[in-house]
Amino acid sequence: MTQAQGNNLDPWYSHYAARTAGLGASEVRALFAVASRPEVVSLAGGMPFVSALPAELVEAAAARTVRDHGAVALQYGSGQGMPRLREQILDVMALEGIRASVDDVVVTTGSQHALELMAKLFLDPGDVVIAEGPSYVTAITVFRSYQAEVVHTTMDEQGLVPDALRETIARARAGGRTIKLLYTIPSFHNPMGVTMPWRRRMEVLEIAREHGILVLEDNPYGLLYFDEAPPHAMRSVDHDGVVYLGTFSKTLAPGMRIGWAVAPHAIREKLVLANEAAVLTPSPFAQTAIAEYLQAADWRGQIDVFRGVYRERRDAMLDALAEHLPSLRWTVPAGGFYVWLHLPPELDSKAMLPRAVKELVAYTPGTAFYADGGGRDAIRLAFCYPAPDFIREGIRRLANVINGELTLLAEFSQTGPLALPAEHPAARREGVLPPNVS
């Protein structure tokens, strides 16, 4: 095989489809190998704390699945999903204000698969997907794998900014580009942790309707609130312009790999066909086991248990940040899994990561959540998996890394000393004392 046909590492390189250029190793996934080492405190991956789910509940549901429904659970099934589970999904979504029929629901192999099916149905090469900046890392990967351009629109402490969305749409349209989707995570955003208020959700929907843009509402964390429930889902008031994605990965277990989409009739029919073409059927065994769990267990109470677990861990992280990095800014999530930490502008979260891993703490650099190279001055911190004491220790280690980077910059800067945070050990050295600090 000639060099023109391949290369030294992959002889089939030239045979790949052009769309595979959009596939790349996720910075989050690449961290897992390092973060799984027991000596590393990982604040990187958004892994649910499944140990809070009593094993006997899952064991009982699995046993009933085999004993009472084995002939069905172990067979091929429908491309739309089992009617029994779809009926139960209606009860789950009712907690977020969504009223739908069984026929509106399409069960998928996790909500990630629903996202991929939507991309397959709607995106042609060169199409634009507008997404919050920052946005969910794997959604960016999916959209780019279909050769779409991800264009970010600005967020603030209340989520997507409507005026910025108008400007983003106007710029894309002025450039002659076709906007196919608006992708948003309005409740307990990944990675920022913020939540879009009701009035802003309505304004975003109005903008989308005005410009004929389909809204893809991703809602994995909406039921994991700590004090007050977030506003109802956008789908609750717009059945024609919103496709809603849900999942059991955060409220039950990600290993089940069951999610769903709720879509307008014509889109739903195509989703079913695309689902059949991709996987024939989502796992009947997993669907039946979840249906058994939802029927027999106090699943609402179990979600409340998860809320308590994650609230305690969120509080541990916020307290540790206040103690060790009081001069920095971060979001204060009212639910979900994540805190978004803003670094001093002279630091680079991606370049700093190897030093952090050497100091036995892992995080996800902000660059992972942008398609355009943004996010270098931010990091995502996940509080969902480590125990509170490990979170506190992880933040202490992270503070050492950040302060160490600032020390190096202060000592080797060619433009003079930098003003360091007052709590930084080097701040009191001669020549680097910040203004107004004694």
Side-chain angles (χ1 to χ4, degrees), residues 17-25 140-148:
R19 62 181 174 273
T20 62
L23 295 174
I140 295 173
T141 300
V142 168
F143 299 142
R144 294 175 73 173
S145 74
Y146 284 90
Q147 299 173 278

Side-chain angles (χ1 to χ4, degrees), residues 272-339:
V272 173
L273 294 174
N275 207 15
E276 291 173 342
V279 298
L280 290 181
T281 174
S283 168
F285 188 92
Q287 290 184 76
T288 306
I290 291 177
E292 286 294 316
Y293 167 82
L294 293 173
Q295 178 176 305
D298 178 12
W299 58 269
R300 294 177 180 84
Q302 182 57 45
I303 292 175
D304 200 47
V305 169
F306 282 129
R307 291 178 188 134
V309 168
Y310 298 137
R311 182 190 297 112
E312 179 185 17
R313 294 166 188 226
R314 185 277 312 261
D315 291 346
M317 179 169 285
L318 295 180
D319 290 346
L321 287 169
E323 177 182 355
H324 296 291
L325 292 165
S327 296
L328 301 189
R329 295 185 302 113
W330 54 83
T331 58
V332 179
F337 284 5
Y338 306 112
V339 168

